[in-house]
Amino acid sequence: SIRERLGKSSDKIFSGSTAAPAPPDISINLDFKTKFDTFRKFVKTTDFLNGVLGLFAAACLLGALVISRRRRRLLMVFSVAVLIFALLQLIGTNAVRPAVLNHVQNEAYRPAVGVIYDNLLANFRHSALVVALVSAIVFAAALLSQKRFINKSKFLADQLKQYKSTKLYREWKKFRKLVNQYKLHISGVVIILGLAVMALAFNLDWQGIIRSVLAVIIILELVFLAAARRRRGRV
């Protein structure tokens, strides 16, 4: 993008050539190229973490749910933690904005800087807001689905009774029973398919391999979670 905007005048900047006539230009060009390469590596690393950390968090959560004896309680704790973290992110973006604008010495530039700040963080705020809403919904669903609330609420008890009488619930029970019976076979097929996809993808780099491995782990955890039987006397 910078090359297209600057045209031929950017050739020396990006070429890193030492054939420039003036030594000061050489040092400036090489210094800029070094800093630009460092910035490019930083952007690639950030992009990689942005794509991997979400999958890693999902894999950790599902793995904890699989081995936990109190899945609903764990889900409630996790959803509350994520909700608080998302709200702190939203508060932080609002609190940092005045500090960023105050660093601009020329007050005439502050409105433009504010627009740039808002545009850069628009997606971040949207993501944090969506995460906060989803976490609140998950927490409310996990909380209200506890036996103590269902037994005290006639409305919830009636809704649960109606749901258990539906065809969807019966099909879900059959599906879980089938998965529990063949979970090892399904896991083997998932692993083989994952390895086959990674083997046939010739342009797959190590970052893509990490994403693929995490995706396979998440699928396996979903299989074991669907096959998990309810433990009596546990939440």
Side-chain angles (χ1 to χ4, degrees), residues 7-182:
K8 293 183 179 180
S9 61
S10 65
D11 292 341
K12 295 181 179 180
I13 296 177
F14 291 96
S15 63
S17 174
T18 58
D25 292 337
I26 296 175
S27 61
I28 294 174
N29 293 340
L30 291 177
D31 183 64
F32 180 83
K33 186 175 184 301
T34 302
K35 292 182 178 180
F36 185 78
D37 290 340
T38 303
F39 177 73
R40 182 169 53 188
K41 292 178 182 179
F42 172 76
V43 172
K44 287 184 177 180
T45 303
T46 304
D47 182 65
F48 168 69
L49 293 177
N50 184 44
V52 170
L53 290 181
L55 292 175
F56 182 74
C60 291
L61 173 61
L62 292 174
L65 291 175
V66 170
I67 64 177
S68 177
R69 292 183 174 272
R70 298 187 175 183
R71 299 188 183 94
R72 186 177 287 107
R73 179 175 295 183
L74 174 63
L75 190 60
M76 291 170 58
V77 172
F78 180 82
S79 59
V80 169
V82 173
L83 175 61
I84 294 175
F85 185 71
L87 293 177
L88 290 177
Q89 286 181 325
L90 293 173
I91 295 173
T93 55
N94 295 331
V96 171
R97 190 179 190 276
V100 173
L101 297 181
N102 290 333
H103 276 79
V104 181
Q105 296 181 357
N106 193 335
E107 294 184 359
Y109 296 154
R110 291 183 181 180
V113 175
V115 172
I116 295 173
Y117 181 88
D118 294 336
N119 289 334
L120 289 175
L121 295 181
N123 292 333
F124 178 79
R125 287 174 174 170
H126 178 74
S127 301
L129 182 60
V130 171
V131 169
L133 292 176
V134 172
S135 301
I137 293 173
V138 170
F139 174 78
L143 180 65
L144 296 177
S145 61
Q146 296 184 87
K147 279 188 174 181
R148 56 178 178 175
F149 287 100
I150 295 176
N151 294 334
K152 293 180 180 180
S153 175
K154 184 179 179 181
F155 174 77
L156 293 177
D158 293 339
Q159 292 296 323
L160 182 61
K161 186 176 180 180
Q162 292 178 8
Y163 171 68
K164 289 185 176 180
S165 62
T166 59
K167 183 179 179 181
L168 178 63
Y169 179 78
R170 293 193 295 269
E171 293 297 329
W172 171 247
K173 294 289 288 185
K174 292 180 181 179
F175 173 76
R176 292 193 63 181
K177 184 177 180 180
L178 183 65
V179 172
N180 182 57
Q181 185 177 358
Y182 297 102

